[in-house]
Amino acid sequence: MTHLQQLIETFTTGPNGETRAQLIAKAFGDLEDTDKWSFLLTLIQQQDTDDLVKINIYKLIELEPFSAEMQVTVKDTVLRAIALETDELVRQYAYISLASNFNGFSDVLDQCVAAMENEEEDLDVRYCAWDVIARSADSSLVATYRERLFKVQSFGTSIERLFAVPVSA
């Protein structure tokens, strides 16, 4: 049995909640076996996975230097997971996980803009989605969302700063 298999066994047979979340943060975080991602990505898509476990997986995603191929897989999985997630704190961490390694993808930015436009969305979730856009190095891609972004009135000053538009008096 590989070390990864042992960790998965420990996770699935261990107690719920905080112990599992700590296992994700420490043991899976330290594990250099990239095969761990097939297991971890499955967990963030499951409704019955503990919220703290999901949050710790998103923290790992935020910091992981993925290969180009794996980056697309992770991005697609996170976007699907966001669409299914009902917990606002977990949704915040899901968007945070996209801010560094995934902010140059049009589908990521499109989902972030849609979250910002949704006034029924939790404001903290909307700000996490905004951060993904604001941190994107692909200014030409971000510019394609300019008109939509300027219509999101609650982010007016931030959007003006992003596009270097002088703030109106």
Side-chain angles (χ1 to χ4, degrees):
M1 183 180 287
T2 68
H3 185 57
L4 174 59
Q5 291 168 329
Q6 289 172 341
L7 286 176
I8 292 171
E9 172 92 12
T10 301
F11 180 89
T12 55
T13 60
N16 289 333
E18 194 172 324
T19 304
R20 284 184 173 183
Q22 289 173 348
L23 182 67
I24 294 294
K26 182 64 181 147
F28 280 90
D30 291 342
L31 186 64
E32 293 185 21
D33 186 343
T34 58
D35 290 339
K36 69 184 178 184
W37 289 106
S38 61
F39 174 69
L40 296 175
L41 294 176
T42 300
L43 291 176
I44 63 171
Q45 296 179 85
Q46 296 174 348
Q47 292 297 317
D48 61 342
T49 300
D50 186 79
D51 290 346
L52 192 52
V53 168
K54 289 180 183 181
I55 287 169
N56 282 342
I57 293 169
Y58 286 124
K59 287 178 181 180
L60 296 178
I61 290 170
E62 179 184 14
L63 301 173
E64 183 76 15
F66 294 106
S67 68
E69 180 181 315
M70 191 63 185
Q71 193 176 26
V72 171
T73 300
V74 172
K75 169 194 65 82
D76 291 345
T77 304
V78 171
L79 291 177
R80 281 192 307 274
I82 288 172
L84 299 172
E85 185 59 56
T86 58
D87 184 89
E88 291 168 354
L89 186 60
V90 175
R91 289 173 60 78
Q92 288 173 37
Y93 275 93
Y95 279 110
I96 289 167
S97 77
L98 296 170
S100 295
N101 295 319
F102 307 94
N103 62 24
F105 289 96
S106 61
D107 54 347
V108 169
L109 295 185
D110 194 53
Q111 186 157 337
C112 290
V113 172
M116 290 176 60
E117 292 170 328
N118 182 358
E119 293 187 15
E120 293 182 19
E121 179 69 83
D122 174 73
L123 187 59
D124 290 331
V125 171
R126 293 172 72 199
Y127 270 102
C128 291
W130 163 248
D131 190 52
V132 176
I133 296 165
R135 292 177 62 185
S136 179
D138 191 340
S139 57
S140 61
L141 178 59
V142 172
T144 65
Y145 296 98
R146 181 184 173 101
E147 295 303 316
R148 285 177 65 189
L149 288 168
F150 271 108
K151 290 179 183 176
V152 183
Q153 293 180 356
S154 55
F155 288 82
T157 302
S158 297
I159 294 166
E160 288 171 351
R161 284 185 190 138
L162 179 70
F163 291 107
V165 174
V167 179
S168 304

